[in-house]
Amino acid sequence: VNEDTGRVLGEAVAKISSGLYVPRQARRDALCVLIVAVDHDAEEVDRLLEHVARAQLEQPVFKPIFLITGGHVDALRRLAFQYETLMTESEWTSVDAGVSFATYRRRRIEEMRAVYLPQQIVITSPGATVGPWFPLGHAGGRATMKETV
Amino acid sequence: VPNRNYDIVVVTDPRLRNDGNRLLATEVRFHAWRGYTTALLPLGSAHSSEARPAEPGLQQLLDEGLLALHPPDRPVSCGLLVSHGISHLLARQLVRPRVRADHAVLVLDRMPLRRVGGPPAFDPDRLRERAEELFGLAWEWWPASPVVREQMERIDPDHDLAPHDWSPVVDPEAWRVVRAAEPRDPLPIGRHVPETRPRWPEGADQILSAYPEDRRLEVRFLGGVDMAVEQLGRVPSNWQSVGPAIVDRRSFLAGIDVFVHQHRADLREPFCLEALEAMASGAVCVLPSYLAAMFGEAATYAGPEQVSDVLHALMSDPVRYRELRGAGHAIVEERFGPTAHLARIEEHVGSPTSASLPGLGRAESAAAGGGQSTVTGERRRARVLFFTDNGNGLGHVTRLMAIARRLPTSISPVFLTMSEAHGLVRDEGFPVEYFPSPRRLGIGKEAWAAMFEVRLGGMLDRVRPQVLVVDHVAPASTILRVKERFPEVEFVWSRRGLWRHGRNLEALDTRAAFDHVLEPLDVAAPLDVGYTVRDTDGVVHVPPITLLDEHELLPRDVARRDLGLDLSRPALLVQLSDDDPERLASMIARVHQLASRDASIQLFAPRHALHKHVLRDLPDVFMRPLYPVSRYFHAFDLLIAAAGYNTFHEAVMAQLPGLFIPKETDSLDDQGRRADFAWLAGFGWRVDSVWSEKFASTMHEALDPARRVRTQVSAEQVYPGNGAQAAADFVALLAERHTEEAA
């Protein structure tokens, strides 16, 4: 009532930029896509990032937020993608929080959804391709999109 | 071992996000804990036409392997078949289940009347007929509560009901919250109900009676408040609301002392799971009088008109408040906990077919936003969550790692950091998650603060630490709300001093969120004119914190060999930083140009963890990634660096003379005064730029061997030792104290 956290979050997410190819003024309308790539090693993450960067170049209509495992962030920084990290199973086990890794992973993804309010969530495996996304038109001033692959 | 596929088969529509499925999830956890095997037989119900996934608690059990998913058209045998609810029994099914069960229990968890004095909500004869026809079994009917039983006996007096109720269950350990002995003033009261059934008292007057606009009360709602506001036509001044997507139920309950559940007079709820969870959390419950049949003396009962008097009476009578809390805990343990549920399971099924899994079933409870328990019979390590500022930098995260690595092994450290050098934290052996800074996201601090509230809350909810240590000079204001959600966690603000004069006063407002302030001292403290100097009450001071202790630094020859430096020639360490790699490269090149006037001087410039691939190679300069650089400080004769807290104190510890260049940025850290202090104390020099005329002459003066001896003596005199261990001891004391209290 006093503070609509959801609204504030929505405003925040609308302002976020991710990637080099969505024009600054198009950020607000860009589709926010959460891409979960937590089973990828560093090389596989890099390949995925190049693929997504190319997709964004061809269709500058979405801004990806990545959830990855590990600290290999050079390509994420170079391509200006937003991301967060997930602990590995052994790291999580060492925390000793009494919650299994599967649950931790699920709750972490749910939290990413709560923070970034993505319109689409893609949980991808190493080697799999994601997207492309194409605009289907505009509804209420916001692009609506469809994953075709 | 009986010849059956599972001990228990539960039948439900798993898509429904209702109390029945939430209860079922808790029951299945208890089964797994005791060693009973359980399968889910899914049926569709008429209550939801949506195509949607399973209720999160049930899905989690399926993920964990604690619940098997059995196709409804395949034969299955079990000791006990349990149906929670009736809607799936009344709906038309595409397949006919083929279940062979020793017992079949139908849990009546729905009120038999639509409203008090109203028509029946279902036809008992049709339900009986339909359930028996669908499964080919005779069912025992177990009311979920005395409230259901009373109405059931009224609409169908001839039907034999089981002699006892199939009471709802909660895991007491999952919900328990450490609370103060007395109610707070103003008293935080609250209500949470699903958005889909807000069920407010009738009319604006009744709503305001039940949830009074009173300065001594803070009224909080978790969802479902829109309808009340619509009726009132305004938002009462002491009302606050938050959505269930933002705050989970346990966290919400932790923030209130009294749970007030009031609704329409003609409504009856079968058992009020919300009140049961509140009671398990230690909140005192104010409920409608008919629920006395369910909760007895463990709650206090009132209609909307009496709520205000009851609340004021509780505020003035802490003994009664504590009695009600104690009675609440007792009834949850005795009547609604795992013991009572497992007793009725054993009555039907006998002994479990698999070994007991101590703790496993219970450790994951209340997945869909509830609590999580400690593992029964085991004592887990205490946990400390370290949250650090930093985007491109390493200062905050390094300081907290200095504390974390000195914690006893009985404590598990975990990091949430805004530093993109989170890989270093992992390399040091600490579990870590990364969350981007506002600058990295390209958004303002206010917008970021809303994201931070959800993010930090989620992390605290997963990790359930005893202590949160925040190293940040200006924590987001939303940390106050996070603290309200987690009153049982000790919040510690690790706050170094030497703020610039007149800056950051507003940050002190967030101090209310912290139970303790831990201030690592600055050797330049005599020159400190920032606001922290005036805010010392209750602050715990420790000597300056550095990652390494002096004995961990490599001897000069070893360090030089490691770095590939000549053992006999003077060596300069250039540890400058700049967001722009080209500008940084030109600064290093400038130092090299000046140093090369003496051909014997060798230059080492460590590559920053985040610049290692973007900073170009410079001719005749030794460059490589190095962390922590201070381990190699004895290799050098002179340090040229910014006057940041960590490098500065590492240099003092290593007695390495420094040319300190205050960063020209508008940061809060008063590096100019720190550099001035180095000169005043005699262990370093202040120069404002590598481009200044003074720089070259100062550098050569500093390399004079006679000077070196004097700077070493000065550094030794001002250095009070590493405060990291004292800080770690303080944090460990808090964590272990909490763990013992909880035990």
Side-chain angles (χ1 to χ4, degrees), chain B residues 321 349 431 486 571 608-609 642 720:
Chain B
Y321 172 79
V349 180
F486 297 92
H608 189 285

Side-chain angles (χ1 to χ4, degrees), chain B residues 261-262 268 286-295 300-303 306:
Chain B
H261 188 74
Q262 296 290 324
R268 293 290 178 270
V286 181
L287 307 173
S289 58
Y290 73 87
L291 285 171
M294 172 96 182
F295 295 112
T300 184
Y301 303 95
Q306 295 95 41

Side-chain angles (χ1 to χ4, degrees), chain B residues 416-436:
Chain B
L416 174 63
T417 183
M418 289 148 65
S419 172
E420 286 208 82
H422 49 85
L424 290 178
V425 181
R426 181 173 288 107
D427 291 347
E428 291 292 307
F430 300 115
V432 60
E433 286 180 10
Y434 163 71
F435 177 54

Side-chain angles (χ1 to χ4, degrees), chain B residues 474-556:
Chain B
S477 60
T478 44
I479 198 163
L480 291 156
R481 288 212 294 263
V482 178
K483 174 60 184 174
E484 281 184 14
R485 285 176 53 198
F486 297 92
E488 73 275 24
V489 180
E490 297 259 14
F491 279 33
V492 178
W493 187 3
S494 170
R495 185 188 74 183
R496 60 155 174 69
L498 216 66
W499 295 3
R500 285 184 202 254
H501 178 63
R503 294 272 302 276
N504 208 31
L505 181 61
E506 64 282 358
L508 296 181
D509 292 342
T510 60
R511 187 174 165 175
F514 294 95
D515 302 288
H516 311 277
V517 178
L518 177 71
E519 184 169 323
L521 283 171
D522 198 308
V523 296
L527 301 186
D528 194 344
V529 292
Y531 278 122
T532 58
V533 174
R534 301 186 209 171
D535 180 41
T536 56
D537 277 356
V539 174
V540 176
H541 291 96
V542 296
I545 289 180
T546 52
L547 183 66
L548 301 179
D549 288 320
E550 197 173 356
H551 68 83
E552 295 177 276
L553 308 192
L554 294 173
R556 182 181 177 88

Side-chain angles (χ1 to χ4, degrees), chain B residues 266-602:
Chain B
D266 65 347
L267 182 74
R268 293 290 178 270
E269 297 199 349
F271 39 75
C272 194
L273 182 57
E274 293 86 1
L276 182 53
E277 291 169 348
M279 212 171 271
S281 81
V284 169
C285 292
V286 181
L287 307 173
S289 58
Y290 73 87
L291 285 171
M294 172 96 182
F295 295 112
E297 294 181 358
T300 184
Y301 303 95
E305 295 82 1
Q306 295 95 41
V307 167
S308 180
D309 291 344
V310 167
L311 295 174
H312 282 273
L314 280 173
M315 276 192 280
S316 60
D317 189 355
V319 174
R320 170 74 176 143
Y321 172 79
R322 283 195 292 274
E323 280 174 359
L324 281 166
R325 267 178 42 188
H329 280 311
I331 198 170
V332 167
E333 290 280 355
E334 289 162 16
R335 197 178 297 175
F336 306 113
T339 308
H341 176 69
L342 291 171
R344 66 194 175 204
I345 293 296
E346 188 166 4
E347 194 180 306
H348 284 93
V349 180
S351 300
T353 53
S354 64
S356 176
L357 302 170
L360 178 61
R362 301 183 68 184
E364 310 276 345
S365 58
Q372 73 197 50
S373 71
T374 53
V375 177
T376 308
E378 293 177 16
R379 188 166 174 197
R380 298 207 319 272
R381 289 196 297 163
R383 291 163 304 286
V384 175
L385 174 61
F386 293 94
F387 171 67
T388 80
D389 190 7
N390 274 142
N392 283 325
L394 294 169
H396 298 275
V397 77
T398 297
R399 201 154 42 241
L400 288 193
M401 281 200 289
I403 298 174
R405 71 194 290 262
R406 290 173 173 84
L407 289 173
T409 53
S410 58
I411 294 175
S412 166
V414 55
F415 278 73
L416 174 63
T417 183
M418 289 148 65
S419 172
E420 286 208 82
H422 49 85
L424 290 178
V425 181
R426 181 173 288 107
D427 291 347
E428 291 292 307
F430 300 115
V432 60
E433 286 180 10
Y434 163 71
F435 177 54
S437 64
R439 185 175 173 195
R440 179 70 166 85
L441 288 168
I443 62 176
K445 287 185 178 171
E446 193 180 333
W448 179 86
M451 302 174 76
F452 165 73
E453 182 182 352
V454 180
R455 184 68 171 87
L456 180 60
M459 187 85 178
L460 286 167
D461 199 39
R462 283 195 300 279
V463 174
R464 291 281 167 200
Q466 282 69 33
V467 181
L468 166 70
V469 184
V470 175
D471 199 292
H472 198 306
V473 289
S477 60
T478 44
I479 198 163
L480 291 156
R481 288 212 294 263
V482 178
K483 174 60 184 174
E484 281 184 14
R485 285 176 53 198
F486 297 92
E488 73 275 24
V489 180
E490 297 259 14
F491 279 33
V492 178
W493 187 3
S494 170
R495 185 188 74 183
R496 60 155 174 69
L498 216 66
W499 295 3
R500 285 184 202 254
H501 178 63
R503 294 272 302 276
N504 208 31
L505 181 61
E506 64 282 358
L508 296 181
D509 292 342
T510 60
R511 187 174 165 175
F514 294 95
D515 302 288
H516 311 277
V517 178
L518 177 71
E519 184 169 323
L521 283 171
D522 198 308
V523 296
L527 301 186
D528 194 344
V529 292
Y531 278 122
T532 58
V533 174
R534 301 186 209 171
D535 180 41
T536 56
D537 277 356
V539 174
V540 176
H541 291 96
V542 296
I545 289 180
T546 52
L547 183 66
L548 301 179
D549 288 320
E550 197 173 356
H551 68 83
E552 295 177 276
L553 308 192
L554 294 173
R556 182 181 177 88
D557 288 359
V558 175
R560 284 201 167 199
R561 279 194 199 98
D562 269 12
L563 298 176
L565 296 172
D566 187 280
L567 296 183
S568 56
R569 295 159 54 197
L572 286 183
L573 172 62
V574 183
Q575 202 174 350
L576 299 169
S577 65
D578 197 291
D579 290 342
D580 179 348
E582 271 312 305
R583 215 160 39 213
L584 177 58
S586 64
M587 287 159 67
I588 297 169
R590 163 72 173 167
V591 177
H592 177 255
Q593 177 206 351
L594 297 173
S596 59
R597 290 175 190 169
D598 177 346
S600 69
I601 292 178
Q602 43 195 343

Side-chain angles (χ1 to χ4, degrees), chain A residues 11-34:
Chain A
E11 283 296 309
V13 172
K15 292 174 188 164
I16 290 174
S17 65
S18 182
L20 299 170
Y21 305 123
V22 174
R24 187 180 178 84
Q25 56 272 36
R27 278 179 201 166
R28 177 169 286 276
D29 273 349
L31 183 82
C32 184
V33 182
L34 171 61

